[in-house]
Each structure stands twice: as structure tokens, then as C-alpha cells.
Amino acid sequence: MAAAAAEAGGMGLTDLPGELLELILCCGVLSAADIGRVSCTCRRLREVCQARGKVWRERFRLRWPSLLKYYSQTDNVNWLKEYKARHNAGLETQRIVASFSKRFFSEHVPCDGFSDIETLGCPGHFFEDELMSILNMEGRKCLTWKYYAKKILYFLRQQNILKNLKAYLERPEDQLSFLEGAVLIDQYCNPLSDICLTSVQAQVDDITDKVRKVLRTKNPRHPSLASKAGTVLIVPGVEFQRQVLDAMNCVLYEQLKYKGNEMDYYNSLNSYIHQVLIRRTGIPISLSVLYLTIARQLGVRLEPVNFPSHFLLRWCQGKEGSTDIFDYMYIDAFGKGKQLTVKECEYLIGHHVTEEFYGVVTSKEVLQRMVGNLLNLGKRESTDQSYQLLRDSLDLYLAMYPDNVQHLMLQARLYFHLGIWPEKVLDILQHVQVLDPSQHGAVGYLVQHTLEHIERRKEEVGPEVKHRSDEKHKDICFSIGLIMKHKRYGYNCVIYGWDPTCMMGQEWIRNMNVHSLPHGPHQPFYNVLVEDGSCRYAAQENLEYNLEPHEIPHPDIGRYFSEFTGTHYLANAELEIRYPEDLELTSNFHSDLQAYAPRIASHFVTCEIAYVQ
């Protein structure tokens, strides 16, 4: 429009004022290639499109808006150079993500599998931004790309968080924030969530402001109200401090309805500080960190107490720094801020404890207990077959105590059990042997079996290819990618593998009572991904096609499938290599469902269906 107006007045594009030219070139219609071509036409347009100018800055902003936070308004940035660097980082990211399926389809991504990423010659935030772009792709396509982009992003963020945690632990105790430590643990266990200290602190500040308002109505001349922004005045006197705690209890437990989660105590969400703020519930230690942080911001110095079975805070009633446990009241943040005497603390847990358990603990010891809680939860979780919470909490614990033999052995056994990272298992075991030679028996056993695992992996010649046309596969009724339903237990699942007969060992067959099935183990069995996140091995007679197919929310969907069509999943390139004739059969199944029905009906007699997991 501007160009047309210029031509009507007898003016060329280059005769327009610089501001108007910039406005035209900054519109979202032109691509980066268009800007490049325009800048090559003449000196005037080259000056308008200079590398450090507004045009390329706007082009960068339109393409990658989330990256602008990494630049200051005062920086003299070469936006053209940054644009090219980000573009090239995106291409390299896509190449790496695309390679992961081929390289790691048959095994867990090894601990050195991310070496390509660590040696990238581009800013890490460029790489992360491209990974997020992949994860945020709309629709049901590119599932394999999303699967590996998520794994890579998980790894990258955890590495950065571990560095931040180690730097945190190296600071002097008086410079450590309990809230910051809780946020670091939260971030490490939830690296794909948008969790940052600034956001969490802002929410805590908002609660603190609410407490001040209540305090102001009770006592307008209270000392804590006189503190200026950014400073904290220590509140003198027990009575003034009591007024602060009463106002806190009013806001937290009466107005905002915070409470201890007695109904779902062992839910890991209770341990994550950002979830405590969202759900307004938690366990004693997470609620205590929140309570203590607010109290200190209001000038009341509470201290953490590593009380057995129930984390508490203590509030000095006598001389500051007293070593007499009876000079303190003990606050139960889980119990709506109730103030307890020493005797009431013992009633709380049901037995007597020695004085040492009433003493104050350090920030590192608080983190140790928080991580210990997550470790215990990780051991309890039976539905998560990857043991991700246990792995993450072990990483955190060993970051704090790298020479703890008990947890090093647990980590080695866990990796061995999962069949992942055998080389890292050997490194851990070698470290354990140096730290504690008395562990040589357990270490020797794991070393022997880990070396056998490595040798077996070297002997693998390639993927087994299963052709449906083979005579031995004639009884296979269902194909890769079909959405199925279990006849007895009703769970929905998707098929990602099959065998002509049960290939599990005799112990599994006996434990699963396979022989009670009409066709026993001598029938096709299917590997299925179940909607609850588990993987199961199901007999053919126990499965039926789901007449209302829908997506299966399983974390490993992208490992095997590239797309959900609305009726079934399409195998990715690696799975298709193993089942080359299934893709066409799956697609035809929906258009020719009636042709399958007689075959299925004739193959199985009416019977009471027994369940085989």
C-alpha cells in the first residue's frame, strides 16, 4: 500500500523516509530471505536493513519471541548474526533429534549419548528454544521427534540445575535460602515445567503482603510494618512475634485454606514447592519451608528442626541462641501452625526422643531430608516402570553426598535392574570398591553380570524382522498400531509388538496363570502400551479391537509411533523395519473390519476369559 502510494506520487521506494521504510520491512509478511534480497538491491535499502538495526531485530523477535529476554535493551546486538546463529542451531537440533530414533531405538539413550549436544557451537538457549518448538508442534504428528526432543531437553535442564545446586551448596550457610533449595529440588524433578525462583518468591511475597494487611488491622504500629521494601527488621519481643505468627496462621490456614495432605500423604506433589503453592497442601517439611520463609520475611526468626517422622520449626521464647530445648515452642506447619511444647511433640509422634532431635539443622540437612522423602517415594512407586523419581532423587542425593556408599550401590543396582548404562554401572562399582573394600562381594556380582550384559549387546546382529506372510505367523489377528481393549479388565492400549506364541519364561507363564487360558501359551501374544503408563504382554484371546479408538497417553508412544491418525497409530521408521508388513494391514483393518470378524470368531470359542497381563 505504501509502495503504491509512493508510485502514485512519482516517488520510488527508496525516496520514502527511513522510519516508513523500516515500518514496511518490519511487517510480518516478509520473510528473512525477502529482507536479505531487499538489502542487496541498493545502498539505501542496505543501510535500512543494517545488521544491528531495527529491521533484523524485529525479524528475530517475530520468529523467536521467547529469546528476547536474553538481550538487554542497551546491548549493541548484531541481529543478523544472531538470526543466522539461531537458524543454524535449529537445523542442527533437528538433525540431532532425528538421529536419536535410529541410534537408540533398541536401547535406553546411554549416558554418553548426549555428547553431540554438549559440544554444540551455539548458545544453549538457542538449542533449548528449538527443542521447545518441536515439543509445541500442534497436532498428532511428529510423535517420535517430540519423544526424543523431550528426552534431550530433560537431560540438558537437569545438567544445568545440578550445576546450580552444587554452586548453592558451596555458599556459606548464612547465604543459603531454604526456599531456593526447595526450588532447585523441584526443578530437578520437574525439568520440563516452568519453575523458577523468581516466580515462586513472588507468590510467597504475595502471601506475606496478605499477612501484613491482617497484621495492620490488629496492630497498626507493629514493628514489622515499619520495614522498608527490600529490608527486614527483626521483630523484638515474644509478644510482637506472636502477633506475626497469629496473622500468618489466619492468612495461611483460614483465608487461603492451606492444610497438611493427610488423605494423600505419599503423593510426590506434596514435596514440590510450586505444587504446594498451587494445591495449597503438602507434607510437614514442604509446608515448614513455606512457613519459615514467610516468618523470616516478617522479621520472626524460626529455625528448622529435623524431628523424627514429623518435621517441625522452633521459636525461641528465652535468650537467643539458648541450648535448653524447653526455651522453645515448636511449630507444626502441617497442623495449621499449632505451637507445641516438648511433651506435646512427643505425643505427636507417639514416643520419647532425646534432646538432639530438638536441635536446629542446616540448609543442607533440610535438603537432605527433602530428597530422602523423594527417595522413599521413588522406592514405593510401582506403576512407573522407568523409576524416574528414584533416579532423579538419587542424582540429587549423590550431588550432595557423592561418596555415600549405600546410595551409590542403590544407583548401580537400579541401572542394572533397568538394563541401562552398563558402562556407568561399572564406573559406580569401581568407585564403591575404592570407598569401601568390604563391598567386594556385592560389587563382584554386579560387575560380572554387567560385563555379560555388555558382551551380549556386542553380539546382537540387528533387529529381528517379522513378516506377517510367514506361515508361522498365520494366527496373528491384530497388527502394530491398532487401539485395543482388554476384554476383562477394560483398559485401552496400543500394540507395538507381537509374537506367534508366548515368548516369556516358564516362571512368568506360571505366575501369570497362562495355562488357565483356553489356548494357553500356544497363541499369539502382544506387547502393548497401556493408558495407565505401563507396558504389558497380553494374550490374543484377551484383546479386542476398540470400536471407539482414541490416543493412548503413554510416555513411550513416540518411541514406536510417528503419528496418530484418529483411528490408529502409524509406526515410525524403526518399528516399521521390524514389522514391514503391518503398516498396510493396520490401515486396511479399519476399512475392512468386517473381513476380520469371521476370522477372529472362528479362531476362538466362547469361553470365560482369563486375564494375562
Side-chain angles (χ1 to χ4, degrees), residues 301-305 313-331 339-345 358-360:
R301 183 171 179 79
L302 301 182
E303 297 174 305
V305 176
L313 301 170
R314 74 178 192 180
W315 169 34
C316 186
Q317 307 286 292
K319 185 179 178 181
E320 184 177 351
S322 171
T323 57
D324 186 347
I325 64 173
F326 294 98
D327 281 344
Y328 294 87
M329 291 295 291
Y330 299 86
I331 296 174
Q339 296 167 14
L340 308 172
T341 63
V342 169
K343 184 60 68 176
E344 288 171 329
C345 290
Y358 292 91
V360 66

PDB file of all heavy atoms in Angstrom, residues 301-305 313-331 339-345 358-360:
ATOM      1  N   ARG A 301      12.446 -14.925  63.417  1.00  0.00           N
ATOM      2  CA  ARG A 301      13.430 -15.942  63.056  1.00  0.00           C
ATOM      3  C   ARG A 301      13.019 -17.311  63.609  1.00  0.00           C
ATOM      4  O   ARG A 301      13.226 -17.608  64.791  1.00  0.00           O
ATOM      5  CB  ARG A 301      14.815 -15.554  63.567  1.00  0.00           C
ATOM      6  CG  ARG A 301      15.889 -16.550  63.163  1.00  0.00           C
ATOM      7  CD  ARG A 301      17.286 -16.054  63.469  1.00  0.00           C
ATOM      8  NE  ARG A 301      18.282 -17.040  63.099  1.00  0.00           N
ATOM      9  CZ  ARG A 301      18.716 -17.255  61.856  1.00  0.00           C
ATOM     10  NH1 ARG A 301      18.231 -16.525  60.863  1.00  0.00           N
ATOM     11  NH2 ARG A 301      19.636 -18.171  61.602  1.00  0.00           N
ATOM     12  N   LEU A 302      12.423 -18.111  62.752  1.00  0.00           N
ATOM     13  CA  LEU A 302      12.137 -19.509  63.092  1.00  0.00           C
ATOM     14  C   LEU A 302      13.290 -20.366  62.582  1.00  0.00           C
ATOM     15  O   LEU A 302      13.986 -19.995  61.632  1.00  0.00           O
ATOM     16  CB  LEU A 302      10.823 -19.952  62.462  1.00  0.00           C
ATOM     17  CG  LEU A 302       9.569 -19.155  62.843  1.00  0.00           C
ATOM     18  CD1 LEU A 302       8.343 -19.753  62.179  1.00  0.00           C
ATOM     19  CD2 LEU A 302       9.383 -19.108  64.359  1.00  0.00           C
ATOM     20  N   GLU A 303      13.455 -21.531  63.192  1.00  0.00           N
ATOM     21  CA  GLU A 303      14.547 -22.420  62.803  1.00  0.00           C
ATOM     22  C   GLU A 303      14.013 -23.818  62.514  1.00  0.00           C
ATOM     23  O   GLU A 303      13.055 -24.270  63.155  1.00  0.00           O
ATOM     24  CB  GLU A 303      15.588 -22.487  63.931  1.00  0.00           C
ATOM     25  CG  GLU A 303      16.253 -21.153  64.236  1.00  0.00           C
ATOM     26  CD  GLU A 303      17.153 -21.229  65.455  1.00  0.00           C
ATOM     27  OE1 GLU A 303      16.652 -21.652  66.525  1.00  0.00           O
ATOM     28  OE2 GLU A 303      18.336 -20.885  65.348  1.00  0.00           O
ATOM     29  N   PRO A 304      14.622 -24.514  61.538  1.00  0.00           N
ATOM     30  CA  PRO A 304      14.156 -25.865  61.187  1.00  0.00           C
ATOM     31  C   PRO A 304      14.639 -26.915  62.187  1.00  0.00           C
ATOM     32  O   PRO A 304      15.778 -26.869  62.649  1.00  0.00           O
ATOM     33  CB  PRO A 304      14.776 -26.090  59.802  1.00  0.00           C
ATOM     34  CG  PRO A 304      16.017 -25.243  59.799  1.00  0.00           C
ATOM     35  CD  PRO A 304      15.716 -24.048  60.650  1.00  0.00           C
ATOM     36  N   VAL A 305      13.763 -27.841  62.505  1.00  0.00           N
ATOM     37  CA  VAL A 305      14.069 -28.920  63.452  1.00  0.00           C
ATOM     38  C   VAL A 305      13.811 -30.253  62.756  1.00  0.00           C
ATOM     39  O   VAL A 305      12.694 -30.544  62.329  1.00  0.00           O
ATOM     40  CB  VAL A 305      13.195 -28.812  64.725  1.00  0.00           C
ATOM     41  CG1 VAL A 305      13.451 -29.985  65.654  1.00  0.00           C
ATOM     42  CG2 VAL A 305      13.463 -27.494  65.437  1.00  0.00           C
ATOM     43  N   LEU A 313       9.314 -26.652  63.199  1.00  0.00           N
ATOM     44  CA  LEU A 313      10.072 -25.412  63.326  1.00  0.00           C
ATOM     45  C   LEU A 313      10.124 -25.062  64.811  1.00  0.00           C
ATOM     46  O   LEU A 313       9.232 -25.438  65.575  1.00  0.00           O
ATOM     47  CB  LEU A 313       9.394 -24.282  62.553  1.00  0.00           C
ATOM     48  CG  LEU A 313       9.207 -24.509  61.047  1.00  0.00           C
ATOM     49  CD1 LEU A 313       8.308 -23.425  60.462  1.00  0.00           C
ATOM     50  CD2 LEU A 313      10.538 -24.549  60.327  1.00  0.00           C
ATOM     51  N   ARG A 314      11.167 -24.342  65.209  1.00  0.00           N
ATOM     52  CA  ARG A 314      11.203 -23.926  66.611  1.00  0.00           C
ATOM     53  C   ARG A 314      11.282 -22.400  66.708  1.00  0.00           C
ATOM     54  O   ARG A 314      11.860 -21.728  65.865  1.00  0.00           O
ATOM     55  CB  ARG A 314      12.351 -24.591  67.344  1.00  0.00           C
ATOM     56  CG  ARG A 314      13.739 -24.064  67.050  1.00  0.00           C
ATOM     57  CD  ARG A 314      14.786 -24.791  67.884  1.00  0.00           C
ATOM     58  NE  ARG A 314      16.081 -24.109  67.826  1.00  0.00           N
ATOM     59  CZ  ARG A 314      17.164 -24.509  68.453  1.00  0.00           C
ATOM     60  NH1 ARG A 314      17.127 -25.625  69.178  1.00  0.00           N
ATOM     61  NH2 ARG A 314      18.297 -23.836  68.374  1.00  0.00           N
ATOM     62  N   TRP A 315      10.688 -21.888  67.779  1.00  0.00           N
ATOM     63  CA  TRP A 315      10.572 -20.448  68.015  1.00  0.00           C
ATOM     64  C   TRP A 315      11.062 -20.168  69.435  1.00  0.00           C
ATOM     65  O   TRP A 315      10.516 -20.687  70.403  1.00  0.00           O
ATOM     66  CB  TRP A 315       9.108 -20.033  67.828  1.00  0.00           C
ATOM     67  CG  TRP A 315       8.759 -18.647  68.272  1.00  0.00           C
ATOM     68  CD1 TRP A 315       9.541 -17.536  68.214  1.00  0.00           C
ATOM     69  CD2 TRP A 315       7.527 -18.237  68.866  1.00  0.00           C
ATOM     70  NE1 TRP A 315       8.883 -16.449  68.713  1.00  0.00           N
ATOM     71  CE2 TRP A 315       7.626 -16.848  69.120  1.00  0.00           C
ATOM     72  CE3 TRP A 315       6.336 -18.894  69.186  1.00  0.00           C
ATOM     73  CZ2 TRP A 315       6.605 -16.114  69.698  1.00  0.00           C
ATOM     74  CZ3 TRP A 315       5.309 -18.163  69.763  1.00  0.00           C
ATOM     75  CH2 TRP A 315       5.436 -16.784  70.000  1.00  0.00           C
ATOM     76  N   CYS A 316      12.122 -19.377  69.529  1.00  0.00           N
ATOM     77  CA  CYS A 316      12.767 -19.133  70.811  1.00  0.00           C
ATOM     78  C   CYS A 316      11.907 -18.241  71.706  1.00  0.00           C
ATOM     79  O   CYS A 316      11.477 -17.161  71.307  1.00  0.00           O
ATOM     80  CB  CYS A 316      14.139 -18.489  70.597  1.00  0.00           C
ATOM     81  SG  CYS A 316      15.097 -18.306  72.117  1.00  0.00           S
ATOM     82  N   GLN A 317      11.688 -18.719  72.946  1.00  0.00           N
ATOM     83  CA  GLN A 317      10.921 -17.963  73.933  1.00  0.00           C
ATOM     84  C   GLN A 317      11.831 -17.341  74.996  1.00  0.00           C
ATOM     85  O   GLN A 317      11.381 -16.498  75.789  1.00  0.00           O
ATOM     86  CB  GLN A 317       9.925 -18.879  74.641  1.00  0.00           C
ATOM     87  CG  GLN A 317       9.027 -19.654  73.706  1.00  0.00           C
ATOM     88  CD  GLN A 317       7.966 -18.780  73.092  1.00  0.00           C
ATOM     89  OE1 GLN A 317       7.059 -18.310  73.785  1.00  0.00           O
ATOM     90  NE2 GLN A 317       8.085 -18.525  71.797  1.00  0.00           N
ATOM     91  N   GLY A 318      13.077 -17.799  75.044  1.00  0.00           N
ATOM     92  CA  GLY A 318      14.002 -17.322  76.058  1.00  0.00           C
ATOM     93  C   GLY A 318      15.130 -16.521  75.434  1.00  0.00           C
ATOM     94  O   GLY A 318      14.936 -15.765  74.470  1.00  0.00           O
ATOM     95  N   LYS A 319      16.339 -16.697  75.981  1.00  0.00           N
ATOM     96  CA  LYS A 319      17.506 -15.989  75.480  1.00  0.00           C
ATOM     97  C   LYS A 319      17.886 -16.525  74.106  1.00  0.00           C
ATOM     98  O   LYS A 319      17.916 -17.738  73.880  1.00  0.00           O
ATOM     99  CB  LYS A 319      18.669 -16.171  76.452  1.00  0.00           C
ATOM    100  CG  LYS A 319      19.901 -15.363  76.076  1.00  0.00           C
ATOM    101  CD  LYS A 319      21.015 -15.564  77.098  1.00  0.00           C
ATOM    102  CE  LYS A 319      22.256 -14.783  76.690  1.00  0.00           C
ATOM    103  NZ  LYS A 319      23.368 -14.976  77.656  1.00  0.00           N
ATOM    104  N   GLU A 320      18.167 -15.596  73.184  1.00  0.00           N
ATOM    105  CA  GLU A 320      18.501 -16.001  71.809  1.00  0.00           C
ATOM    106  C   GLU A 320      19.717 -16.923  71.814  1.00  0.00           C
ATOM    107  O   GLU A 320      20.723 -16.672  72.478  1.00  0.00           O
ATOM    108  CB  GLU A 320      18.800 -14.766  70.958  1.00  0.00           C
ATOM    109  CG  GLU A 320      19.057 -15.086  69.492  1.00  0.00           C
ATOM    110  CD  GLU A 320      19.289 -13.842  68.658  1.00  0.00           C
ATOM    111  OE1 GLU A 320      19.091 -12.724  69.178  1.00  0.00           O
ATOM    112  OE2 GLU A 320      19.672 -13.987  67.487  1.00  0.00           O
ATOM    113  N   GLY A 321      19.615 -18.031  71.080  1.00  0.00           N
ATOM    114  CA  GLY A 321      20.705 -18.994  70.994  1.00  0.00           C
ATOM    115  C   GLY A 321      20.740 -19.980  72.134  1.00  0.00           C
ATOM    116  O   GLY A 321      21.709 -20.742  72.284  1.00  0.00           O
ATOM    117  N   SER A 322      19.692 -20.014  72.939  1.00  0.00           N
ATOM    118  CA  SER A 322      19.648 -20.924  74.077  1.00  0.00           C
ATOM    119  C   SER A 322      19.780 -22.380  73.628  1.00  0.00           C
ATOM    120  O   SER A 322      19.274 -22.781  72.578  1.00  0.00           O
ATOM    121  CB  SER A 322      18.324 -20.737  74.830  1.00  0.00           C
ATOM    122  OG  SER A 322      18.163 -21.738  75.817  1.00  0.00           O
ATOM    123  N   THR A 323      20.474 -23.168  74.443  1.00  0.00           N
ATOM    124  CA  THR A 323      20.618 -24.600  74.154  1.00  0.00           C
ATOM    125  C   THR A 323      19.627 -25.448  74.933  1.00  0.00           C
ATOM    126  O   THR A 323      19.611 -26.674  74.806  1.00  0.00           O
ATOM    127  CB  THR A 323      22.051 -25.064  74.498  1.00  0.00           C
ATOM    128  OG1 THR A 323      22.308 -24.770  75.885  1.00  0.00           O
ATOM    129  CG2 THR A 323      23.072 -24.357  73.625  1.00  0.00           C
ATOM    130  N   ASP A 324      18.797 -24.810  75.717  1.00  0.00           N
ATOM    131  CA  ASP A 324      17.778 -25.521  76.509  1.00  0.00           C
ATOM    132  C   ASP A 324      16.534 -25.739  75.631  1.00  0.00           C
ATOM    133  O   ASP A 324      15.899 -24.791  75.178  1.00  0.00           O
ATOM    134  CB  ASP A 324      17.418 -24.689  77.740  1.00  0.00           C
ATOM    135  CG  ASP A 324      16.474 -25.440  78.690  1.00  0.00           C
ATOM    136  OD1 ASP A 324      15.908 -26.479  78.282  1.00  0.00           O
ATOM    137  OD2 ASP A 324      16.307 -24.973  79.836  1.00  0.00           O
ATOM    138  N   ILE A 325      16.189 -26.981  75.363  1.00  0.00           N
ATOM    139  CA  ILE A 325      15.068 -27.271  74.465  1.00  0.00           C
ATOM    140  C   ILE A 325      13.739 -26.765  75.011  1.00  0.00           C
ATOM    141  O   ILE A 325      12.774 -26.571  74.269  1.00  0.00           O
ATOM    142  CB  ILE A 325      14.964 -28.784  74.162  1.00  0.00           C
ATOM    143  CG1 ILE A 325      14.659 -29.581  75.436  1.00  0.00           C
ATOM    144  CG2 ILE A 325      16.215 -29.292  73.488  1.00  0.00           C
ATOM    145  CD1 ILE A 325      14.365 -31.059  75.181  1.00  0.00           C
ATOM    146  N   PHE A 326      13.694 -26.505  76.342  1.00  0.00           N
ATOM    147  CA  PHE A 326      12.450 -26.024  76.946  1.00  0.00           C
ATOM    148  C   PHE A 326      12.287 -24.509  76.807  1.00  0.00           C
ATOM    149  O   PHE A 326      11.259 -23.958  77.210  1.00  0.00           O
ATOM    150  CB  PHE A 326      12.393 -26.440  78.419  1.00  0.00           C
ATOM    151  CG  PHE A 326      12.298 -27.924  78.617  1.00  0.00           C
ATOM    152  CD1 PHE A 326      13.433 -28.670  78.894  1.00  0.00           C
ATOM    153  CD2 PHE A 326      11.084 -28.588  78.478  1.00  0.00           C
ATOM    154  CE1 PHE A 326      13.357 -30.052  79.056  1.00  0.00           C
ATOM    155  CE2 PHE A 326      10.989 -29.958  78.637  1.00  0.00           C
ATOM    156  CZ  PHE A 326      12.133 -30.691  78.929  1.00  0.00           C
ATOM    157  N   ASP A 327      13.302 -23.843  76.233  1.00  0.00           N
ATOM    158  CA  ASP A 327      13.196 -22.404  75.961  1.00  0.00           C
ATOM    159  C   ASP A 327      12.526 -22.132  74.611  1.00  0.00           C
ATOM    160  O   ASP A 327      12.496 -20.984  74.165  1.00  0.00           O
ATOM    161  CB  ASP A 327      14.587 -21.761  75.961  1.00  0.00           C
ATOM    162  CG  ASP A 327      15.098 -21.523  77.373  1.00  0.00           C
ATOM    163  OD1 ASP A 327      14.271 -21.566  78.304  1.00  0.00           O
ATOM    164  OD2 ASP A 327      16.317 -21.300  77.532  1.00  0.00           O
ATOM    165  N   TYR A 328      12.025 -23.180  73.959  1.00  0.00           N
ATOM    166  CA  TYR A 328      11.443 -23.030  72.624  1.00  0.00           C
ATOM    167  C   TYR A 328      10.014 -23.561  72.585  1.00  0.00           C
ATOM    168  O   TYR A 328       9.660 -24.489  73.320  1.00  0.00           O
ATOM    169  CB  TYR A 328      12.279 -23.791  71.587  1.00  0.00           C
ATOM    170  CG  TYR A 328      13.673 -23.230  71.382  1.00  0.00           C
ATOM    171  CD1 TYR A 328      14.731 -23.646  72.199  1.00  0.00           C
ATOM    172  CD2 TYR A 328      13.928 -22.302  70.384  1.00  0.00           C
ATOM    173  CE1 TYR A 328      16.009 -23.142  72.019  1.00  0.00           C
ATOM    174  CE2 TYR A 328      15.210 -21.791  70.192  1.00  0.00           C
ATOM    175  CZ  TYR A 328      16.238 -22.212  71.012  1.00  0.00           C
ATOM    176  OH  TYR A 328      17.497 -21.703  70.832  1.00  0.00           O
ATOM    177  N   MET A 329       9.233 -22.954  71.711  1.00  0.00           N
ATOM    178  CA  MET A 329       7.966 -23.544  71.285  1.00  0.00           C
ATOM    179  C   MET A 329       8.225 -24.165  69.909  1.00  0.00           C
ATOM    180  O   MET A 329       9.025 -23.651  69.124  1.00  0.00           O
ATOM    181  CB  MET A 329       6.864 -22.495  71.179  1.00  0.00           C
ATOM    182  CG  MET A 329       6.412 -21.926  72.511  1.00  0.00           C
ATOM    183  SD  MET A 329       5.610 -23.164  73.582  1.00  0.00           S
ATOM    184  CE  MET A 329       4.083 -23.450  72.693  1.00  0.00           C
ATOM    185  N   TYR A 330       7.534 -25.259  69.623  1.00  0.00           N
ATOM    186  CA  TYR A 330       7.753 -25.985  68.367  1.00  0.00           C
ATOM    187  C   TYR A 330       6.488 -25.877  67.513  1.00  0.00           C
ATOM    188  O   TYR A 330       5.383 -26.171  67.987  1.00  0.00           O
ATOM    189  CB  TYR A 330       8.139 -27.438  68.668  1.00  0.00           C
ATOM    190  CG  TYR A 330       9.425 -27.496  69.460  1.00  0.00           C
ATOM    191  CD1 TYR A 330       9.404 -27.403  70.860  1.00  0.00           C
ATOM    192  CD2 TYR A 330      10.648 -27.546  68.822  1.00  0.00           C
ATOM    193  CE1 TYR A 330      10.582 -27.396  71.599  1.00  0.00           C
ATOM    194  CE2 TYR A 330      11.836 -27.543  69.547  1.00  0.00           C
ATOM    195  CZ  TYR A 330      11.794 -27.464  70.926  1.00  0.00           C
ATOM    196  OH  TYR A 330      12.967 -27.431  71.653  1.00  0.00           O
ATOM    197  N   ILE A 331       6.673 -25.419  66.270  1.00  0.00           N
ATOM    198  CA  ILE A 331       5.543 -25.088  65.404  1.00  0.00           C
ATOM    199  C   ILE A 331       5.332 -26.197  64.374  1.00  0.00           C
ATOM    200  O   ILE A 331       6.264 -26.600  63.669  1.00  0.00           O
ATOM    201  CB  ILE A 331       5.771 -23.738  64.698  1.00  0.00           C
ATOM    202  CG1 ILE A 331       5.836 -22.623  65.754  1.00  0.00           C
ATOM    203  CG2 ILE A 331       4.671 -23.449  63.686  1.00  0.00           C
ATOM    204  CD1 ILE A 331       6.194 -21.268  65.190  1.00  0.00           C
ATOM    205  N   GLN A 339       1.301 -24.505  67.989  1.00  0.00           N
ATOM    206  CA  GLN A 339       2.516 -24.350  68.789  1.00  0.00           C
ATOM    207  C   GLN A 339       2.540 -25.404  69.884  1.00  0.00           C
ATOM    208  O   GLN A 339       1.591 -25.543  70.668  1.00  0.00           O
ATOM    209  CB  GLN A 339       2.578 -22.938  69.363  1.00  0.00           C
ATOM    210  CG  GLN A 339       2.683 -21.872  68.272  1.00  0.00           C
ATOM    211  CD  GLN A 339       2.444 -20.465  68.769  1.00  0.00           C
ATOM    212  OE1 GLN A 339       2.440 -20.229  69.983  1.00  0.00           O
ATOM    213  NE2 GLN A 339       2.244 -19.522  67.852  1.00  0.00           N
ATOM    214  N   LEU A 340       3.646 -26.163  69.924  1.00  0.00           N
ATOM    215  CA  LEU A 340       3.733 -27.337  70.793  1.00  0.00           C
ATOM    216  C   LEU A 340       4.850 -27.194  71.814  1.00  0.00           C
ATOM    217  O   LEU A 340       5.901 -26.604  71.535  1.00  0.00           O
ATOM    218  CB  LEU A 340       4.011 -28.597  69.948  1.00  0.00           C
ATOM    219  CG  LEU A 340       3.082 -28.857  68.753  1.00  0.00           C
ATOM    220  CD1 LEU A 340       3.613 -30.012  67.924  1.00  0.00           C
ATOM    221  CD2 LEU A 340       1.665 -29.156  69.239  1.00  0.00           C
ATOM    222  N   THR A 341       4.650 -27.783  72.974  1.00  0.00           N
ATOM    223  CA  THR A 341       5.709 -27.916  73.966  1.00  0.00           C
ATOM    224  C   THR A 341       6.504 -29.182  73.653  1.00  0.00           C
ATOM    225  O   THR A 341       6.127 -29.976  72.772  1.00  0.00           O
ATOM    226  CB  THR A 341       5.123 -28.025  75.375  1.00  0.00           C
ATOM    227  OG1 THR A 341       4.337 -29.226  75.449  1.00  0.00           O
ATOM    228  CG2 THR A 341       4.247 -26.822  75.702  1.00  0.00           C
ATOM    229  N   VAL A 342       7.596 -29.384  74.375  1.00  0.00           N
ATOM    230  CA  VAL A 342       8.414 -30.590  74.182  1.00  0.00           C
ATOM    231  C   VAL A 342       7.566 -31.845  74.401  1.00  0.00           C
ATOM    232  O   VAL A 342       7.622 -32.805  73.612  1.00  0.00           O
ATOM    233  CB  VAL A 342       9.623 -30.570  75.152  1.00  0.00           C
ATOM    234  CG1 VAL A 342      10.325 -31.933  75.150  1.00  0.00           C
ATOM    235  CG2 VAL A 342      10.599 -29.471  74.765  1.00  0.00           C
ATOM    236  N   LYS A 343       6.776 -31.852  75.458  1.00  0.00           N
ATOM    237  CA  LYS A 343       5.944 -33.029  75.744  1.00  0.00           C
ATOM    238  C   LYS A 343       4.912 -33.263  74.644  1.00  0.00           C
ATOM    239  O   LYS A 343       4.654 -34.410  74.251  1.00  0.00           O
ATOM    240  CB  LYS A 343       5.244 -32.838  77.107  1.00  0.00           C
ATOM    241  CG  LYS A 343       4.434 -34.035  77.571  1.00  0.00           C
ATOM    242  CD  LYS A 343       5.297 -35.274  77.726  1.00  0.00           C
ATOM    243  CE  LYS A 343       6.275 -35.136  78.863  1.00  0.00           C
ATOM    244  NZ  LYS A 343       7.059 -36.393  79.089  1.00  0.00           N
ATOM    245  N   GLU A 344       4.340 -32.192  74.116  1.00  0.00           N
ATOM    246  CA  GLU A 344       3.340 -32.321  73.036  1.00  0.00           C
ATOM    247  C   GLU A 344       3.978 -32.813  71.747  1.00  0.00           C
ATOM    248  O   GLU A 344       3.321 -33.515  70.953  1.00  0.00           O
ATOM    249  CB  GLU A 344       2.642 -30.979  72.820  1.00  0.00           C
ATOM    250  CG  GLU A 344       1.677 -30.607  73.946  1.00  0.00           C
ATOM    251  CD  GLU A 344       1.150 -29.192  73.838  1.00  0.00           C
ATOM    252  OE1 GLU A 344       1.889 -28.314  73.314  1.00  0.00           O
ATOM    253  OE2 GLU A 344       0.010 -28.938  74.292  1.00  0.00           O
ATOM    254  N   CYS A 345       5.253 -32.488  71.548  1.00  0.00           N
ATOM    255  CA  CYS A 345       5.962 -33.015  70.368  1.00  0.00           C
ATOM    256  C   CYS A 345       6.077 -34.538  70.452  1.00  0.00           C
ATOM    257  O   CYS A 345       5.931 -35.241  69.447  1.00  0.00           O
ATOM    258  CB  CYS A 345       7.357 -32.398  70.273  1.00  0.00           C
ATOM    259  SG  CYS A 345       7.381 -30.650  69.826  1.00  0.00           S
ATOM    260  N   TYR A 358      15.737 -32.128  68.928  1.00  0.00           N
ATOM    261  CA  TYR A 358      15.093 -30.826  69.014  1.00  0.00           C
ATOM    262  C   TYR A 358      16.032 -29.709  68.523  1.00  0.00           C
ATOM    263  O   TYR A 358      15.662 -28.541  68.537  1.00  0.00           O
ATOM    264  CB  TYR A 358      14.674 -30.526  70.451  1.00  0.00           C
ATOM    265  CG  TYR A 358      13.553 -31.416  70.953  1.00  0.00           C
ATOM    266  CD1 TYR A 358      13.827 -32.612  71.618  1.00  0.00           C
ATOM    267  CD2 TYR A 358      12.223 -31.060  70.758  1.00  0.00           C
ATOM    268  CE1 TYR A 358      12.797 -33.428  72.073  1.00  0.00           C
ATOM    269  CE2 TYR A 358      11.191 -31.870  71.219  1.00  0.00           C
ATOM    270  CZ  TYR A 358      11.492 -33.048  71.872  1.00  0.00           C
ATOM    271  OH  TYR A 358      10.466 -33.851  72.322  1.00  0.00           O
ATOM    272  N   GLY A 359      17.250 -30.078  68.126  1.00  0.00           N
ATOM    273  CA  GLY A 359      18.232 -29.084  67.707  1.00  0.00           C
ATOM    274  C   GLY A 359      17.966 -28.568  66.293  1.00  0.00           C
ATOM    275  O   GLY A 359      17.295 -29.204  65.475  1.00  0.00           O
ATOM    276  N   VAL A 360      18.537 -27.389  66.000  1.00  0.00           N
ATOM    277  CA  VAL A 360      18.374 -26.779  64.692  1.00  0.00           C
ATOM    278  C   VAL A 360      19.270 -27.496  63.673  1.00  0.00           C
ATOM    279  O   VAL A 360      20.329 -28.026  64.023  1.00  0.00           O
ATOM    280  CB  VAL A 360      18.708 -25.270  64.752  1.00  0.00           C
ATOM    281  CG1 VAL A 360      20.183 -25.054  65.060  1.00  0.00           C
ATOM    282  CG2 VAL A 360      18.341 -24.570  63.457  1.00  0.00           C
TER     283      VAL A 360
END
